Amino acid sequence: MDRVIIFDTTLRDGEQAPGFSMNTMEKLEMARQLARLQVDVIEAGFPISSDDDFEATREVARQVGTLENPPIICGLSRVGLADIDRCWEAVKYARKPRIHTFVATSDIHLKYKLRKTRAEILKAAQDAVRHARGYCEDVEFSPEDASRSDFGYMCDVLSAVIEAGAGTINIPDTVGYAIPREWGERIARIRETVRGVDRVVLSVHCHNDLGQAVANSLTAIMSGARQVECTINGIGERAGNASLEEVVMALRTRKDFFGLDSRVKTEEIFKSSRLLSHITGVHVQPNKAVVGENAFAHEAGIHQDGVLKEKLTYEIMRPEDIGRPSNKLVLGKHSGRHALAARLKDLGFDLAGPDLDRAFKVFKDLADRKKEVYDEDLMAIVTDEVTATGAAGYELEYLHVISGTGVVPSATVKLKKEGQVFQDSGVGDGPVDAVLAAIDAITGLKGRLQDYALRAATSGKDAIGEVSMKIDFDGTVVSGKGSSTDVIEASARAYLSALNRMTLTTVQRMKEVGP
Ligand code: KIV
Ligand code: ZN
């Protein structure tokens, strides 16, 4: 095979990391973007793990797995037969469903976690794959903690599951323990030892505990692996998984070396990265390879001089290869709805109807306040719109804040919900605190701010401020984001988006399970 299959597990391994949880709507939005990015496989969730995860996986299968030319939609499952049944119930709606079943094969896991013998685990793995094949042609198997498993035993398990019908064998470095040369050799030895391995796709899934996840994935490819499991921005358990954008751009930029490429539409990489940050409220570090703020910034005079003379001197990739907007002025306050829709389409956001109306209103407000509206500004407002809860929640109508040195900060807030307007006020130890107190007074809910981050979408004093928050509403932790040229207003919007998400999820759950 002359290309590498890109298996994206942002919505499963990525989402299960603390601080990265997504609700069904957010997972769907991200899955649609992953489809535009043209990943081959989307691992949408672990359906038995919770009702929410089941629902999200099912909706991704229904809504993204049935698009024209869709990606494979995969669900994760342990080897228990009930797990596999539940997984199938969620993924079966996709045109190309996959069941991914796994069990640990290292003696450490067998002894302390599973308390089973090697023979029992081998049989469970083979039975699971047979059971999954009863539902679905496309079955993947992973021996968890493969990097610390006894090699001979792990190969026996792999031979057994191939015989039972697994079509993809995924070798995980679950704890990020492997070192590139050793890992490459392990993959090569698997190809020499496992019975039937030539009939299946060999895959790797590397964690980043020692910072080797991408390097390990690439050495595995050099040893014959043809599927890589990875995540946008490298999110995932603990230190994360191999970063999709780094693997894909390494293959593309060094095609001369690897002689392989992926199907990924690299021009969608930047937008995927930003959408994920926006949804989760977690920004990528500025020096992150490929998608970090500084990834294409040349600061040193000698570098700038070289780049001005010829970009090739210091640039191995072009920003446009990953769809990074060039920050050019795009629209102004006289631009109309059509111009906005066309520019958004260029940026990959195909908005119409009420979504476009809302985005246009926000754009007009922004253009009134800010002379120059950049692509980055548009991406900030539009990702707010696509991840908003729509008409179901509270909307900010009016905000007035008094704050300063030697003054007790106070705020008056008007909110609108289902046509009704509510007003109240609050005081706090700062203007943001006062605004949140006023919102709490209106809604009767009390949120505890766990995390707060503010960043500028572009440079300049009039830049849009993007606020991300994590709020604890009586034990339910939700994230929210908001943007505005006024950072206090952005904070109010972020708080409302968290509050709306929390109430919407509660209402959905009550509808499902009854009061
Ligand atoms: O890290 C791991 O071992 C996993 C498996 C479920 C593939 O995520
Ligand atoms: Zn993992």
Side-chain angles (χ1 to χ4, degrees):
M1 212 203 305
D2 60 357
R3 78 175 175 89
V4 175
I5 296 169
I6 298 295
F7 177 115
D8 180 278
T9 183
T10 306
L11 302 180
R12 199 279 298 167
D13 211 321
E15 198 261 352
Q16 80 194 38
F20 288 92
S21 69
M22 293 176 232
N23 62 27
T24 299
M25 215 172 56
E26 293 168 331
K27 275 196 168 187
L28 266 172
E29 198 51 52
M30 200 60 222
R32 286 198 191 97
Q33 178 55 30
L34 292 172
R36 286 192 282 269
L37 183 63
Q38 292 181 9
V39 302
D40 299 283
V41 186
I42 296 177
E43 188 165 52
F46 188 3
I48 194 102
S49 67
S50 72
D51 289 346
D52 285 349
D53 226 30
F54 175 85
E55 182 201 273
T57 310
R58 186 193 62 201
E59 288 315 303
V60 171
R62 268 191 183 144
Q63 299 188 39
V64 180
T66 51
L67 295 171
E68 207 184 311
N69 203 8
I72 292 169
I73 306 296
C74 175
L76 183 69
S77 142
R78 290 170 299 191
V79 287
L81 303 191
D83 276 42
I84 293 169
D85 296 343
R86 188 84 175 136
C87 183
W88 174 246
E89 280 306 307
V91 295
K92 69 181 181 192
Y93 301 95
R95 280 205 208 145
K96 296 191 255 172
R98 173 179 294 185
I99 297 174
H100 175 193
T101 185
F102 76 100
V103 69
T105 48
S106 70
D107 287 337
I108 303 174
H109 280 236
L110 262 62
K111 181 169 173 199
Y112 297 106
K113 184 180 86 173
L114 301 171
R115 300 206 170 108
K116 293 256 192 303
T117 64
R118 286 184 175 187
E120 284 170 320
I121 291 300
L122 188 146
K123 182 171 181 315
Q126 202 172 29
D127 289 350
V129 170
R130 259 197 212 108
H131 189 68
R133 278 301 308 266
Y135 287 127
C136 173
E137 292 236 317
D138 188 351
V139 174
E140 170 170 332
F141 175 80
S142 295
E144 193 191 6
D145 203 16
S147 46
R148 294 189 300 165
S149 296
D150 175 78
F151 185 77
Y153 171 64
M154 181 184 74
C155 288
D156 288 345
V157 174
L158 295 179
S159 302
V161 296
I162 291 175
E163 196 198 315
T168 300
I169 294 297
N170 175 50
I171 314 299
D173 180 19
T174 304
V175 289
Y177 179 74
I179 298 297
R181 198 170 81 190
E182 168 204 35
W183 188 240
E185 284 166 6
R186 199 167 181 87
I187 300 301
R189 278 172 67 210
I190 289 174
R191 286 187 67 205
E192 285 159 14
T193 315
V194 172
R195 279 192 312 280
V197 72
D198 292 340
R199 298 199 303 271
V200 302
V201 174
L202 191 56
S203 166
V204 284
H205 173 115
C206 301
H207 279 271
N208 206 30
D209 299 65
L210 295 174
Q212 307 298 317
V214 170
N216 282 335
S217 304
L218 294 174
T219 38
I221 289 171
M222 286 158 65
S223 296
R226 286 296 176 268
Q227 174 177 283
V228 169
E229 302 200 351
C230 45
T231 58
I232 302 290
N233 296 344
I235 69 169
E237 280 282 2
R238 305 179 310 278
N241 288 68
S243 140
L244 179 147
E245 57 276 9
E246 292 175 27
V247 171
V248 165
M249 289 313 285
L251 289 176
R252 179 177 160 158
T253 309
R254 297 305 313 274
K255 196 161 177 203
D256 62 318
F257 179 76
F258 291 104
L260 295 162
D261 211 338
S262 72
R263 248 183 90 232
V264 165
K265 191 170 173 202
T266 60
E267 293 76 13
E268 293 288 329
I269 284 179
F270 188 68
K271 190 144 62 64
S272 309
S273 163
R274 290 301 306 268
L275 181 64
L276 180 67
S277 296
H278 201 80
I279 286 176
T280 58
V282 184
H283 296 298
V284 296
Q285 74 201 53
N287 60 325
K288 164 84 176 62
V290 183
V291 291
E293 208 48 49
N294 297 349
F296 293 90
H298 304 280
E299 188 68 34
I302 201 165
H303 287 206
Q304 287 178 346
D305 180 52
V307 170
L308 286 172
K309 287 178 178 145
E310 169 54 63
K311 284 190 174 164
L312 270 177
T313 49
Y314 287 99
E315 238 174 50
I316 58 164
M317 299 170 269
R318 297 172 312 163
E320 53 269 36
D321 294 339
I322 61 155
R324 198 181 167 118
S326 53
N327 247 4
K328 61 179 182 290
L329 177 68
V330 282
L331 299 170
K333 68 179 187 183
H334 300 298
S335 309
R337 214 167 165 275
H338 289 302
L340 176 70
R343 188 60 206 152
L344 289 177
K345 198 158 184 203
D346 284 349
L347 293 173
F349 295 96
D350 208 354
L351 298 197
D355 290 342
L356 180 59
D357 293 343
R358 282 205 307 275
F360 186 60
K361 184 172 175 310
V362 183
F363 161 71
K364 277 290 185 193
D365 289 348
L366 178 66
D368 278 343
R369 292 188 206 182
K370 193 175 188 292
K371 269 198 308 233
E372 298 169 327
V373 179
Y374 297 95
D375 285 350
E376 285 271 15
D377 295 317
L378 289 180
M379 286 177 80
I381 59 174
V382 91
T383 39
D384 266 2
E385 285 311 307
V386 294
T387 56
T389 46
Y394 287 101
E395 277 176 65
L396 184 66
E397 274 278 294
Y398 168 88
L399 173 66
H400 182 243
V401 178
I402 300 171
S403 177
T405 316
V407 183
V408 176
S410 63
T412 305
V413 172
K414 253 190 222 170
L415 301 180
K416 193 163 146 195
K417 187 179 182 184
E418 289 157 5
Q420 263 188 289
V421 177
F422 308 87
Q423 176 171 333
D424 218 318
S425 53
V427 290
D429 62 8
V432 173
D433 193 28
V435 168
L436 304 199
I439 295 177
D440 285 350
I442 294 173
T443 61
L445 294 165
K446 182 129 190 62
R448 203 173 55 81
L449 190 60
Q450 273 200 344
D451 206 359
Y452 179 98
L454 168 66
R455 72 184 281 276
T458 56
S459 56
K461 285 189 201 142
D462 61 355
I464 279 195
E466 290 181 303
V467 170
S468 329
M469 289 181 180
K470 244 186 221 108
I471 314 285
D472 182 341
F473 289 100
D474 209 13
T476 308
V477 180
V478 264
S479 57
K481 351 6 135 156
S483 36
S484 168
T485 48
D486 176 335
V487 296
I488 308 295
E489 183 184 320
S491 306
R493 291 189 184 284
Y495 190 66
L496 284 175
S497 92
L499 190 142
N500 286 337
R501 282 186 51 200
M502 199 274 300
T503 35
L504 196 78
T505 316
T506 313
V507 171
Q508 266 171 359
R509 236 183 245 136
M510 281 172 70
K511 274 192 197 145
E512 276 165 25
V513 295

